[in-house]
Amino acid sequence: MKDFDYLEPASIAEASEMMLAHPGGSVMAGGTALMLALRQRMVTPSHVISLRRIRDLRGITHTPAEGLRIGALALHAEVARSPLVRQHAPMLADMASRLANPQVRNQGTIGGNLCYGDPATDPPSCLLALNADVVLRSARGTRVLKVDQFATDYFATALEPGEIVSEIRIPPSAFDAGYHARFLRTAAEHRPLVNFAVSLRKQGDACEDVRMVIGASTRVPTRLRKAEDWMKGKTVTARLAAEVADLGASEIEPISDIRGDGSFRRDMARTACRRTIEDLFNPAGSAATSAA
Amino acid sequence: MNKPEISNAFTTVGRETPQINAIEKVLGKAVYSADMKMAGMLHAKVLRSPHAHARIVGVHTEEARALPGVHAVLTGDDTPTRMTGIHHKQHRILAAGKVRFIGEEVVAVVAEDEETARDAIDLIRVDYEPLPEVFDTGEALRAGTIEVHDGSGNLACEYNVVRGDVDAAFAQAALVHEDSYETHSQYAGYMEPMATLAWRTSDGRLHILTSTQTAFLQRMRIADAVEMPVSKVRVIQATVGGGFGGKTAEECNSLICAWLATRVDRPVKFVNSRLDDFQGCRSSPPEKIWIKMGVDKDGIIIAKEVKIVADCGAYEGLAGHVLQVSTVRSDNMHRYLKNVRLNGKLAYTNNPPHGALRGFGGPQAAFALNSHIAVMAEKLGLDVVEMLKRNAIKSGDTSVHGFQIGSSGLSECLDQVSDGIGWDSKKTRPKDIGVKRRGIGFGTAIHVSGNREMGNWDGSTVIAKMAPDGRVTLMTGECDMGQGAFTMLAQCCAHELNIPLSQVTVLPTDTDMSPYGHGSIASRVTILAGNAAIKAAREVRERLLTLASEKLGVPKEDLDMANGEVFAKSPAPNQKIPFGDLARLHIYRAGGEALQVTATYDPPTFLAMATPEQYGNVAPGYSFAAQAAEVEVDTETGQVRVLETFVSDDCGKALNPLAVHGQTCGAAVMGIGWALYEQMRYEDGRLLNGNFADYTMPTADSVPYIQSGIVESMEPNGPYGAKGASETAIVPGAAAIANAVYDAIGVRIKTLPITPEKILAGLRAKQAAQDASGASR
Ligand SMILES: Cc1cc2nc3c(=O)[nH]c(=O)nc-3n(C[C@H](O)[C@H](O)[C@H](O)COP(=O)(O)OP(=O)(O)OC[C@H]3O[C@@H](n4cnc5c(N)ncnc54)[C@H](O)[C@@H]3O)c2cc1C
């Protein structure tokens, strides 16, 4: 990698000023994504501005009124282990415990994950299903965005010059179940081909309310609004699960690349969606239990 | 040399023995080429061709040269005009005039540090005039098409072998079946990318420390390419972080670095990035294989016709040899097969060049053959294991191509694997009918242990030296690339001298000092160097006993040795003398010399490769393997999970069962990777996934617990009965998995790799066929 100056601001304000003073600089959190880019010279920053000394970016807290607050520097492994996350957003902790591999989980941060904007990742869809807020701060002030406002395109985010992500907030919700399904093309893959995240409120066999998101196969995580509307208020049968999955799969615009072409991705999104709903409701006659 | 002639207290032969160089590796103390630093050392980087086929019109290096810290910017025109290559000398050290594949090395930069070299690379501009390209072998062999090498017709080489009366045999056959298969190329995927450090000394000699399996072949090839006498070129083997065939004499990192060191006055280091390594490597040749096979009513294979077209890529390298193996070797597994007609063609294309990789053409042929046999067994209503056993070659047989099978445990491998995986019960259980369906399949393999090729010599030489403290140092021209060659040599020597393993040191190859050796290829080192080590150690033993007899005044017959001492068994049992004393005595006497022995073993084999008939006994021993895999196929996602696999390796006497186990499991994993996970993805000759995030080698998560067994068929030519064990187990896996997939879902995948997309397409086609036949009824 090319030479650069290394800076360690102690506060968000200082970091923001450094970023504005060095427009050719890069912010670094865990470095798992940035270091690869530096070594391949995909980016050649004049300065690397490390966030590691900024205490305000750390910690995981919870208040009944505001919900969970996860500092941007929280490692995937910390999210996975946190008793607070496990209690208040179990699907997020579960997702974080399965993401990537132990090395990446122990070094990569949730903030870095969002800020890189790589579609082939897991937290964005999960956080969108949890209706999370992304908090952006700079010397100029604070902005709060939803995940689908924050992630704007393939490797692109709403971050403006001098802005950093300070934390993620997960507001209290009336949902009582959920799951994040991480689907790999083969067992030897490192990245998800597609993922499906769902948060819902159950009433016996019925689904009262639901948020569903497809990620990793779309440029940005995509809410499945038609599928949500179709599912709300209905008793979940194997047939409904299949209908919801069909609708959901039709709502996405899948990307095509060497990991998988669009039609295969759509098929797998449909399967992941249907299987996840079936697993959550266990309706009679679902493919998992029946002799197809 | 069949049986251990002395059984003694210190032997490790046949016992689980950790590698003698394992500790330094796990402590991070092993010195790899990239670790070495020399005073004044410079760093090299290369600019690679972005075109698959283009004329080089102009190379603009002024800006790069002007960059501070840059010492040299060299192009193809600066390289010797002499061509380099294996059989066909086809390219210069850097491309001159034209490029033939994407990734071909065009310009080299030498600079103070690697980053400066990279900066300079970015400043170079090359003007190309693109030429029409050819990527498909079928197209390449069409008359009048674009030629990769002028006048070649794109035919790099061709084999035609006919034995017996094939047509008559087909006419007699109870069942004849023909089909086509395709295999893809595999990257060696060693942990250590290629790295080299080269320097010249004031006497004008060129020294090259590099990661290599074949130090002497490297010396020969580099000396030839840089136009220096071999005696002026020295190749030193650094610790090698895996080779798998990829570090023979085909890769160009070492060659370019060596040449650069002749052009600047300071040492030059060239370390491949992983992308460099992917682009500059020689992956295994993809093959299109057509088989027609005839069997009698009992499933005995009586006739076989095979046509193979292999993709050589831009330069031949070792791909011709690989094709030879794919064409003929697998026939030798079948004892009643006498009628064959084989044709193998190797086509040049503008794909990156292909070459040696573990298994060396065996996996390609075995995939097609074992798939084919499974189909025929089903048609005959025969259990495939039974059919394989009926055909299995036996010790004492001479095969259709003249292989004299001194030992074969193929049948025993089949039995061991069947029992180990529970073949009978799994085969007969009711078929799964749900979304996830299990199936089981089999594959078999033959491999050589040694292969007479170069210079009609397939020998190996070991020098054994005893230091004045009684310890032994062995020198060899063969290489340890992690497979355990040095441990094996130390075991043989320690066994013969009845000393602890720790008393033996094996030195890595240094062509200035080591005896000549072809190197670690063709699974040859155990059988050849092992025999040489035994021979050398026995001579040392003889000399020690002779001297001790003189010194102690005891007849030789009454002496024996243990733990570094020669002692008298009778009449005075307490008389003894340490090896160190004897070693000193060997020197310090009138006319004395240090105790040093050179021993060579050249096996009684035949250079069949050099004859058009390709007939004869090429190797002193043949290894066999069988593997079964049980898979679960998800019919909605197309994913294949290997639930269980059992692989048995007939490697003769397992000198070190721990090492054999490691090699067998590693090879089996590599086979699984080739079958299911790995794929070099090209788009018009451009590799799209030259990194380990996108070229997905098997991970611990993606393979089952590998069960392995050893069959010790005891090879008469082998050291204590041993044969090679490093390659055989990569051969049968892909077929075992493909057969298991078929058993699970009734879809036969004939084109590797077995991807989810292909499984789903196969299921859809099967469904469509069923619907159509249902509708027509
Ligand atoms: C082998 C491998 C496998 C992986 N597999 C998965 C997977 O299965 N699922 C998955 O979801 N992810 C996966 N990842 C991605 C991984 O989760 C991310 O690399 C990681 O979370 C990034 O966090 P980081 O702290 O290391 O970011 P860094 O590398 O430090 O930064 C990444 C980018 O974000 C910017 N940035 C970082 N923090 C901030 C901030 N607070 N404010 C503003 N900008 C910031 C940086 O400037 C940089 O551009 C994988 C990565 C690897 C290497």
Side-chain angles (χ1 to χ4, degrees):
Chain A
M1 68 189 80
K2 291 227 190 197
D3 278 355
F4 50 77
D5 286 329
Y6 179 74
L7 304 174
E8 278 193 352
S11 68
I12 293 173
E14 197 187 344
S16 178
E17 276 155 24
M18 286 174 172
M19 288 164 77
L20 291 170
H22 307 292
S26 286
V27 166
M28 181 164 88
T32 58
L34 187 69
M35 290 299 286
L36 292 176
L38 291 179
R39 290 181 59 184
Q40 289 167 26
R41 291 188 163 193
M42 276 157 49
V43 290
T44 50
S46 59
H47 294 74
V48 168
I49 303 161
S50 168
L51 303 179
R52 60 185 287 268
R53 284 178 59 211
I54 307 177
R55 314 203 83 201
D56 289 351
L57 301 180
R58 295 190 182 271
I60 299 176
T61 55
H62 179 265
T63 61
E66 305 235 308
L68 270 174
R69 177 203 169 276
I70 301 172
L73 285 184
L75 302 173
H76 299 302
E78 289 171 347
V79 173
R81 274 198 307 265
S82 161
L84 289 174
V85 181
R86 290 166 68 153
Q87 188 185 341
H88 299 289
M91 67 186 268
L92 182 66
D94 180 51
M95 177 280 299
S97 73
R98 288 180 283 115
L99 166 163
N101 52 46
Q103 295 94 312
V104 171
R105 291 199 290 272
N106 284 318
Q107 181 66 28
T109 65
I110 189 164
N113 185 294
L114 293 180
C115 293
Y116 204 53
D118 184 342
T121 54
D122 296 297
S125 53
C126 192
L127 291 170
L128 185 55
L130 289 165
N131 195 26
D133 292 309
V134 184
V135 183
L136 294 72
R137 293 184 203 271
S138 69
R140 290 190 306 262
T142 300
R143 293 198 290 156
V144 180
L145 300 178
K146 292 292 175 193
V147 174
D148 50 359
Q149 298 169 315
F150 177 78
T152 54
D153 204 346
Y154 202 72
F155 288 94
T157 67
L159 279 167
E160 295 202 343
E163 243 180 355
I164 60 176
V165 168
S166 62
E167 71 223 57
I168 286 114
R169 291 192 191 144
I170 300 170
S173 89
F175 293 135
D176 56 15
Y179 190 69
H180 177 275
R182 179 171 178 269
F183 183 91
L184 304 181
R185 179 175 172 270
T186 73
E189 289 274 349
H190 307 275
R191 297 288 192 135
L193 176 92
V194 62
N195 48 45
F196 170 73
V198 52
S199 280
L200 50 78
R201 193 168 64 248
K202 276 184 174 181
Q203 177 84 63
D205 289 346
C207 167
E208 276 194 351
D209 195 6
V210 63
R211 285 173 70 95
M212 288 187 281
V213 182
I214 293 284
S217 266
T218 46
R219 304 173 80 85
V220 292
T222 305
R223 277 281 292 275
L224 309 180
R225 294 185 190 268
K226 286 187 210 156
E228 289 172 4
D229 289 345
W230 187 249
M231 190 166 164
K232 268 181 217 167
K234 293 203 175 81
T235 296
V236 179
T237 59
R239 185 192 168 128
L240 183 80
E243 288 167 359
V244 169
D246 282 344
L247 261 181
S250 72
E251 286 185 74
I252 58 168
E253 270 181 57
I255 51 178
S256 280
D257 62 15
I258 58 163
R259 198 168 285 124
D261 71 17
S263 70
F264 177 61
R265 286 174 182 272
R266 194 190 298 281
D267 287 346
M268 294 307 107
R270 181 185 302 111
T271 303
C273 175
R274 200 202 71 231
R275 285 183 176 181
T276 306
I277 295 171
E278 284 178 353
D279 283 347
L280 285 168
F281 285 88
N282 260 312
S286 65
T289 49
S290 77
Chain B
M1 294 191 187
N2 195 347
K3 278 264 150 67
E5 289 187 1
I6 41 176
S7 108
N8 59 48
F10 293 99
T11 191
T12 59
V13 168
R15 313 222 169 124
E16 303 217 334
T17 307
Q19 299 295 325
I20 55 175
N21 42 19
I23 300 271
E24 62 172 12
K25 288 183 182 169
V26 296
L27 292 180
K29 297 205 163 142
V31 179
Y32 296 85
S33 302
D35 296 326
M36 282 291 279
K37 291 194 175 76
M38 285 179 82
M41 181 175 84
L42 301 173
H43 298 260
K45 279 280 151 196
V46 297
L47 179 66
R48 297 177 182 276
S49 167
H51 293 281
H53 201 191
R55 218 179 302 289
I56 301 171
V57 181
V59 185
H60 308 282
T61 60
E62 306 75 18
E63 271 186 78
R65 276 176 221 276
L67 191 73
V70 170
H71 286 250
V73 180
L74 298 165
T75 72
D77 288 340
D78 299 309
T79 60
T81 51
R82 200 178 171 78
M83 296 287 172
T84 177
I86 307 269
H87 282 300
H88 288 123
K89 311 278 180 205
Q90 294 178 311
H91 62 94
R92 282 164 64 170
I93 297 171
L94 297 170
K98 115 176 180 168
V99 289
R100 294 184 177 85
F101 71 96
I102 295 177
E104 183 159 12
E105 300 86 354
V106 178
V107 187
V109 170
V110 182
E112 288 292 333
D113 53 58
E114 211 176 285
E115 291 307 308
T116 307
R118 284 176 79 175
D119 289 342
I121 291 286
D122 292 344
L123 296 173
I124 297 165
R125 222 166 22 82
V126 183
D127 300 329
Y128 293 99
E129 180 193 311
L131 297 168
E133 303 155 339
V134 57
F135 300 113
D136 175 67
T137 50
E139 171 61 23
L141 293 177
R142 206 172 49 78
T145 194
I146 305 131
E147 283 191 327
V148 180
H149 298 279
D150 291 342
S152 68
N154 294 327
L155 186 64
C157 70
E158 179 166 4
Y159 299 96
N160 277 300
V161 174
V162 181
R163 302 201 207 290
D165 189 339
V166 186
D167 297 320
F170 275 130
Q172 279 169 22
L175 175 68
V176 176
H177 174 63
E178 59 177 86
D179 212 336
S180 299
Y181 304 86
E182 269 183 57
T183 66
H184 65 127
S185 68
Q186 186 171 27
Y187 170 61
Y190 33 62
M191 276 199 262
E192 180 212 16
M194 268 306 301
T196 307
L197 172 62
W199 67 96
R200 259 186 318 164
T201 39
S202 48
D203 56 3
R205 298 186 74 229
L206 177 60
H207 306 253
I208 302 137
L209 177 90
T210 189
S211 186
T212 182
Q213 302 174 220
T214 55
F216 278 92
L217 298 188
Q218 283 284 38
R219 180 182 73 167
M220 196 187 315
R221 163 233 203 182
I222 291 169
D224 184 66
V226 304
E227 306 184 297
M228 283 173 71
V230 282
S231 62
K232 289 201 154 196
V233 176
R234 172 186 178 204
V235 175
I236 309 157
Q237 191 209 8
T239 306
V240 178
F244 308 107
K247 293 178 179 174
T248 56
E250 297 181 287
E251 54 74 36
C252 291
N253 168 288
S254 56
L255 179 62
I256 291 169
C257 187
W259 171 68
L260 291 173
T262 69
R263 298 294 306 244
V264 295
D265 247 352
R266 285 160 57 173
V268 180
K269 179 149 95 181
F270 182 19
V271 180
N272 276 6
S273 69
R274 188 55 75 176
L275 180 60
D276 271 321
D277 212 82
F278 264 104
Q279 292 185 318
C281 74
R282 302 297 184 256
S283 56
S284 61
E287 296 182 2
K288 292 179 187 158
I289 303 172
W290 173 85
I291 302 183
K292 179 175 172 188
M293 190 181 268
V295 301
D296 73 10
K297 62 178 188 350
D298 299 320
I300 300 296
I301 302 167
I302 53 172
K304 189 176 173 194
E305 185 171 3
V306 176
K307 287 181 194 158
I308 303 181
V309 178
D311 183 359
C312 168
Y315 300 110
E316 189 190 348
L318 285 165
H321 287 213
V322 174
L323 172 63
Q324 193 270 352
V325 169
S326 294
T327 310
V328 306
R329 190 173 293 159
S330 65
D331 295 347
N332 300 290
M333 256 192 295
H334 300 142
R335 66 184 317 209
Y336 303 107
L337 179 59
K338 298 283 175 266
N339 308 293
V340 297
R341 182 158 56 222
L342 314 171
N343 174 261
K345 289 196 182 83
L346 183 67
Y348 294 122
T349 63
N350 292 116
N351 291 313
H354 298 291
L357 189 98
R358 192 181 205 170
F360 206 77
Q364 292 94 319
F367 168 66
L369 176 65
N370 286 295
S371 298
H372 207 79
I373 290 177
V375 172
M376 296 190 77
E378 189 185 18
K379 289 189 178 205
L380 287 170
L382 249 176
D383 177 68
V384 70
V385 178
E386 175 59 28
M387 176 164 165
L388 290 165
K389 271 175 72 175
R390 285 183 193 171
N391 286 285
I393 197 125
K394 299 254 177 335
S395 305
D397 285 353
T398 297
S399 70
V400 60
H401 298 301
F403 288 14
Q404 288 159 23
I405 309 293
S407 61
S408 163
L410 181 54
S411 279
E412 292 79 359
C413 285
L414 285 158
D415 285 338
Q416 201 182 65
V417 171
S418 287
D419 291 348
I421 200 137
W423 175 260
D424 291 338
S425 65
K426 285 181 173 154
K427 197 65 207 172
T428 48
R429 72 185 166 204
K431 292 269 174 225
D432 295 334
I433 49 172
V435 172
K436 296 187 179 178
R437 300 182 186 181
R438 289 165 303 165
I440 183 163
F442 236 92
T444 51
I446 179 174
H447 198 73
V448 290
S449 307
N451 194 3
R452 204 167 199 84
E453 296 180 59
M454 283 161 279
N456 196 14
W457 184 73
D458 200 20
S460 185
T461 304
V462 168
I463 298 175
K465 301 203 269 190
M466 185 167 279
D469 60 3
R471 289 179 48 92
V472 185
T473 298
L474 300 180
M475 294 166 74
T476 169
E478 327 300 355
C479 295
D480 195 318
M481 58 222 184
Q483 87 280 34
F486 288 178
T487 305
M488 177 276 301
L489 293 175
Q491 284 182 285
C492 292
C493 175
H495 176 83
E496 292 297 328
L497 298 176
N498 198 7
I499 51 177
L501 196 62
S502 60
Q503 293 292 300
V504 185
T505 302
V506 186
L507 297 182
T509 306
D510 176 336
T511 59
D512 271 7
M513 280 166 283
S514 310
Y516 178 85
H518 287 335
S520 297
I521 46 177
S523 295
R524 61 193 292 284
V525 177
T526 292
I527 203 163
L528 302 172
N531 274 327
I534 291 172
K535 218 168 148 184
R538 285 185 185 165
E539 174 62 21
V540 170
R541 182 184 167 86
E542 233 355 81
R543 295 215 199 158
L544 290 173
L545 291 175
T546 306
L547 245 142
S549 163
E550 272 172 45
K551 181 73 182 165
L552 299 175
V554 177
K556 253 162 75 175
E557 310 78 68
D558 294 334
L559 294 174
D560 202 349
M561 53 179 57
N563 200 14
E565 289 174 338
V566 176
F567 62 89
K569 292 181 282 191
S570 61
N574 46 10
Q575 282 205 70
K576 56 187 179 187
I577 180 162
F579 283 6
D581 289 3
L582 293 168
R584 283 194 296 277
L585 200 60
H586 203 274
I587 310 176
Y588 302 114
R589 54 179 172 148
E593 62 170 5
L595 177 42
Q596 173 169 331
V597 166
T598 301
T600 297
Y601 172 77
D602 187 18
T605 51
F606 180 72
L607 184 67
M609 267 291 249
T611 66
E613 301 80 31
Q614 307 282 322
Y615 184 90
N617 189 39
V618 298
Y622 301 90
S623 299
F624 297 89
Q627 183 173 359
E630 186 187 15
V631 303
E632 180 184 79
V633 183
D634 186 322
T635 53
E636 286 178 356
T637 64
Q639 288 166 318
V640 176
R641 199 152 74 90
V642 184
L643 299 174
E644 209 182 318
T645 190
F646 197 109
V647 52
S648 284
D649 203 331
D650 164 23
C651 59
K653 173 76 187 168
L655 300 184
N656 182 357
L658 190 62
V660 172
H661 179 71
Q663 287 299 314
T664 305
C665 291
V669 167
M670 217 166 152
I672 292 172
W674 187 55
L676 294 175
Y677 305 136
E678 298 173 40
Q679 187 173 14
M680 300 184 85
R681 306 282 288 266
Y682 295 102
E683 192 176 80
D684 294 338
R686 180 186 315 277
L687 181 65
L688 301 175
N689 58 342
N691 64 70
F692 285 145
D694 300 315
Y695 182 85
T696 49
M697 292 180 65
T699 57
D701 277 348
S702 65
V703 292
Y705 175 78
I706 312 262
Q707 306 173 75
S708 80
I710 297 172
V711 168
E712 296 189 317
S713 64
M714 302 306 283
E715 168 55 45
N717 286 328
Y720 314 124
K723 302 184 276 195
S726 296
E727 295 185 86
T728 331
I730 196 183
V731 178
I737 293 171
N739 287 335
V741 165
Y742 175 81
D743 185 47
I745 58 168
V747 171
R748 180 155 292 285
I749 305 291
K750 292 183 282 187
T751 301
L752 289 178
I754 302 168
T755 62
E757 291 90 336
K758 286 181 199 165
I759 297 266
L760 293 176
L763 285 166
R764 279 192 297 267
K766 191 180 147 205
Q767 188 62 48
Q770 273 169 7
D771 293 350
S773 73
S776 67
R777 231 180 273 140

